[in-house]
Amino acid sequence: MAKLEEIEDSDEEEPPKADEPKLDFNDMLKKAADMKTQALKEKRRLWENAPEWLKNTMMHERQGDVKEIRETKSVAQRLEAASKYKDKGNELFGRGKLEKASAEYVKAIALFQLFMRNDKREEIWLEKQYEKYEAADRSAAEKIMIGCFTNLAMILLKQDKAYEAVYACNLALELDPLNVKALYRRGL
């Protein structure tokens, strides 16, 4: 009998301590809603502070050849496509077609990271898909993105868009903190 009484006694709720506030269900819901609102504000701030070229990655979320490649091709095929976009951007840059070159670099970047939006269109985040790759593929994707970011920075500097150029360099430096091109172009 003593064991049964012990079990019954342990099922009793302990009264809240005097210094702990007692939360009812409505308070918990309000606190959860406040936390969600704060998280959305932080993601929204990232979106609002991003330069236009990075925001343009969102258009590749729902349409076009970049979306198809990202969703249906293997990682190796995505790396190959990104290299082609980057090479085409380099060729256009060499011919002085800066806007078209910029668009090609953004396509290459969007194969690995892009802004996405949920179906309710209330939440926006920067999806870094390359972070899920195996080490060798991740390294290859990062190398392509670094090249695109630094080349894009050069275009932006030529267009007198210093803030956007620094942003591109900072993204390159997140991937390779000692990248000479990114450090130099960020300092211009």
Side-chain angles (χ1 to χ4, degrees), residues 74-119:
S74 69
V75 173
Q77 290 169 317
R78 282 182 242 162
L79 290 166
E80 183 181 333
S83 280
K84 287 180 182 178
Y85 286 133
K86 181 179 170 242
D87 292 344
K88 187 173 182 184
N90 291 345
E91 186 245 315
L92 290 165
F93 179 81
R95 293 189 348 216
K97 299 187 183 274
L98 303 183
E99 290 298 323
K100 289 183 178 183
S102 177
E104 295 301 314
Y105 294 137
V106 169
K107 285 180 186 178
I109 293 165
L111 284 171
F112 307 117
Q113 78 175 30
L114 69 157
F115 272 109
M116 299 192 71
R117 183 178 279 196
N118 67 0
D119 289 334

Side-chain angles (χ1 to χ4, degrees), residues 46-188:
L46 174 66
W47 165 258
E48 289 170 353
N49 291 334
E52 285 304 312
W53 61 265
L54 187 56
K55 289 179 182 178
N56 287 340
T57 61
M58 184 180 281
M59 73 179 178
H60 298 296
E61 171 196 8
R62 299 185 190 268
Q63 64 186 11
D65 56 336
V66 171
K67 178 184 188 246
E68 182 184 338
I69 293 167
R70 200 181 58 255
E71 292 179 354
T72 64
K73 304 297 182 191
S74 69
V75 173
Q77 290 169 317
R78 282 182 242 162
L79 290 166
E80 183 181 333
S83 280
K84 287 180 182 178
Y85 286 133
K86 181 179 170 242
D87 292 344
K88 187 173 182 184
N90 291 345
E91 186 245 315
L92 290 165
F93 179 81
R95 293 189 348 216
K97 299 187 183 274
L98 303 183
E99 290 298 323
K100 289 183 178 183
S102 177
E104 295 301 314
Y105 294 137
V106 169
K107 285 180 186 178
I109 293 165
L111 284 171
F112 307 117
Q113 78 175 30
L114 69 157
F115 272 109
M116 299 192 71
R117 183 178 279 196
N118 67 0
D119 289 334
K120 295 178 184 175
R121 303 180 82 59
E122 65 188 26
E123 186 176 3
I124 298 172
W125 68 95
L126 186 62
E127 175 79 25
K128 296 182 177 183
Q129 296 176 340
Y130 68 94
E131 291 180 340
K132 300 171 188 158
Y133 295 174
E134 297 292 324
D137 291 335
R138 180 179 175 159
S139 177
E142 289 173 348
K143 183 178 177 187
I144 292 168
M145 286 191 300
I146 290 166
C148 290
F149 288 139
T150 57
N151 293 348
L152 198 51
M154 191 69 228
I155 290 171
L156 294 164
L157 287 169
K158 285 180 176 274
Q159 295 172 332
D160 292 324
K161 296 179 180 177
Y163 170 78
E164 293 187 22
V166 168
Y167 202 102
C169 290
N170 287 342
L171 289 173
L173 292 168
E174 283 180 18
L175 300 172
D176 178 6
L178 300 176
N179 185 278
V180 176
K181 278 186 181 180
L183 290 167
Y184 177 74
R185 291 178 182 165
R186 188 174 70 173
L188 289 179

Side-chain angles (χ1 to χ4, degrees), residues 9-28:
D9 287 344
S10 66
D11 286 345
E12 292 179 21
E13 288 186 31
E14 290 184 32
K17 296 178 182 169
D19 58 341
E20 289 183 15
K22 186 176 178 181
L23 292 176
D24 68 356
F25 185 69
N26 288 332
D27 290 338
M28 287 189 285

